[in-house]
Amino acid sequence: MNRSVNMNAVLLLLLCTFFWGACFPVGKHALGEVHALTLVIWRFGIAALCLFIYAKWKNIPMPSLTAKQWAWAVGVSIIGVGGLNLGLFTGLAQTDASNGALIMALSPLATSLIGSLLQRKLPTRGAVFSLVVCLSGVLLVLTNGELKRLLGFEFNHGDQMIFLGMLCWSLYTYLTQGVSRWMPMIPYTLVGMLSGLGVISLVTAFSSEVHPLQESLSISGSVLGDLLFIGVFGTVGGYLLWISGVKQLGAANASLFFNFVPVFAALTAFAYGQTVTSLQLLGMAIVIAGLLLPRIVKWQQQLLNRQEARSVD
C-alpha cells in the first residue's frame, strides 16, 4: 500500500471523527430549541433518506433474508442504533458535550471487553490496563474530581444515560460482526436507521412532553442547520468515510482515530461558546493515553521482533 493511499485514508478518518465529535456540541446547541426525541427523529429521517438515495445511486439491492435473519437485524439495530441515540441525546440535554464525547470514547474498549465476556475469554493485559486508565480519566471528569461523589456513586443523570447509550452501541458493534457475514453494510445501516426511527416515533407517540411537528415548524435557521449537519454529515457522511478508511487501513488501525472524537468535540464546543474545563481536557488526555499506550508498546515489541528476525537471517 503506497504512502498516498495511506494519507488519503488518514484524511478520511480524521474528517469522519471531526463530524462525529462535532455532533456533541452541535446536538447540545440544537437541544436548546427541540426535545431530544425530536432531534433523533430528524437524525434518523435524514439519514434513512440519504442512505436510500445512495443505495439507489450505487444500485445496491436489499438482500433476500429469512424471517429469522430480518428479525435479528432489526432487533440488533433497535438495541444499538435506537439505544445509543436515545441515551446520547437525552443525556446531552443534562450534561456537557465534552462529557458525552469522553464517555463515547470508551466504546472501542467496551466492545473489546464485551467480546471477551461473550466468548468467555479473559481480556488481554493491554485491555485491562486501558480499562483502568480510561475509567480513571472518565470518572475524574464525571465526579468533578470529588472522591466523595465517586464513593457515593453520585453521577449526573445525563452522564448515566450517555454511558448506557455507549454500552448499547458497543454491544451493537460486536453483534454487527456476525450480521455483516450475511447482510451488506449499506442495507444493514438503512435498516438500522428505519428501525431507530420506528422505535423513537413509537416512544414519542406515548409521550405528552414531545411535539415533533410543532417543534419542527418553529425552529430557527441555525438549529435547522444543526439538524441537517447531524443527519447528513454526522450520520451518513461519517459512516461512509469510516467504511472507506477501514477498507484502506484496516479495522485495528482505524479504531485509533476514534480517540480524536473528544478532541474535536472540545474544539467545536469552543466555537459554539460552550464551556470546556481544564478538568475535562485532563480527562481527555488520560483516556487517549490509556487507549494508545498498549498499542504503542505492542508496535514496539513487533518492531523489535522483526529486527531480531532480520539479525538471525
Side-chain angles (χ1 to χ4, degrees):
M1 187 179 295
N2 59 51
R3 184 174 298 178
S4 63
V5 173
N6 277 335
M7 183 54 65
N8 180 57
V10 167
L11 293 175
L12 291 177
L13 289 171
L14 283 175
L15 184 59
C16 167
T17 51
F18 166 72
F19 287 155
W20 285 346
C23 278
F24 291 90
V26 170
K28 180 72 174 178
H29 179 259
L31 289 171
E33 289 189 19
V34 298
H35 192 276
L37 296 182
T38 301
L39 190 157
V40 176
I41 288 174
W42 269 84
R43 182 181 196 181
F44 286 149
I46 293 170
L49 178 61
C50 291
L51 280 171
F52 177 78
I53 294 172
Y54 179 82
K56 287 295 183 181
W57 176 49
K58 290 289 187 177
N59 293 317
I60 302 174
M62 293 299 289
S64 177
L65 304 176
T66 65
K68 184 178 180 180
Q69 287 176 322
W70 276 115
W72 182 249
V74 171
V76 170
S77 297
I78 289 173
I79 293 172
V81 181
L84 165 68
N85 284 272
L86 184 61
L88 174 59
F89 290 105
T90 301
L92 272 179
Q94 304 173 57
T95 190
D96 294 333
S98 296
N99 281 25
L102 193 59
I103 295 169
M104 285 304 301
L106 295 174
S107 180
L109 178 60
T111 301
S112 175
L113 293 175
I114 287 172
S116 297
L117 179 63
L118 294 180
Q119 295 173 20
R120 299 181 180 179
K121 296 192 305 184
L122 291 174
T124 63
R125 285 180 295 178
V128 173
F129 172 84
S130 291
L131 175 64
V132 173
V133 174
C134 292
L135 280 179
S136 299
V138 171
L139 290 174
L140 177 69
V141 174
L142 300 190
T143 61
N144 201 29
E146 298 176 11
L147 181 60
K148 63 179 182 180
R149 291 183 62 185
L150 175 59
L151 296 176
F153 292 96
E154 298 177 12
F155 299 104
N156 181 292
H157 181 67
D159 294 331
Q160 295 177 34
M161 291 298 296
I162 295 175
F163 188 81
L164 290 175
M166 182 274 294
L167 291 179
C168 287
W169 179 254
S170 298
L171 179 61
Y172 168 81
T173 302
Y174 175 77
L175 295 176
T176 290
Q177 298 174 34
V179 177
S180 63
R181 295 172 189 162
W182 40 264
M183 189 171 192
M185 293 310 297
I186 294 297
Y188 178 48
T189 306
L190 177 57
V191 168
M193 296 299 106
L194 292 174
S195 299
L197 180 61
V199 170
I200 300 301
S201 298
L202 186 62
V203 172
T204 302
F206 287 95
S207 175
S208 59
E209 300 177 358
V210 191
H211 307 283
L213 182 59
Q214 293 90 325
E215 292 176 20
S216 299
L217 292 174
S218 61
I219 59 175
S220 64
S222 62
V223 169
L224 177 60
D226 292 339
L227 298 175
L228 291 173
F229 176 87
I230 292 171
V232 177
F233 297 101
T235 307
V236 180
Y239 172 79
L240 295 178
L241 289 170
W242 181 259
I243 291 297
S244 181
V246 168
K247 285 182 179 179
Q248 296 179 56
L249 288 185
N253 291 327
S255 66
L256 296 177
F257 286 83
F258 208 89
N259 302 326
F260 287 100
V261 170
V263 176
F264 285 129
L267 293 175
T268 310
F270 276 125
Y272 268 83
Q274 299 171 15
T275 302
V276 180
T277 67
S278 57
L279 191 64
Q280 289 172 330
L281 294 176
L282 176 60
M284 289 177 194
I286 293 173
V287 170
I288 291 173
L291 292 168
L292 288 181
L293 284 176
R295 290 185 177 273
I296 292 173
V297 171
K298 184 178 179 179
W299 287 340
Q300 289 179 333
Q301 186 61 49
Q302 290 174 343
L303 182 59
L304 288 174
N305 292 339
R306 290 172 186 168
Q307 290 175 344
E308 291 175 359
R310 289 173 183 171
S311 63
V312 171
D313 294 340

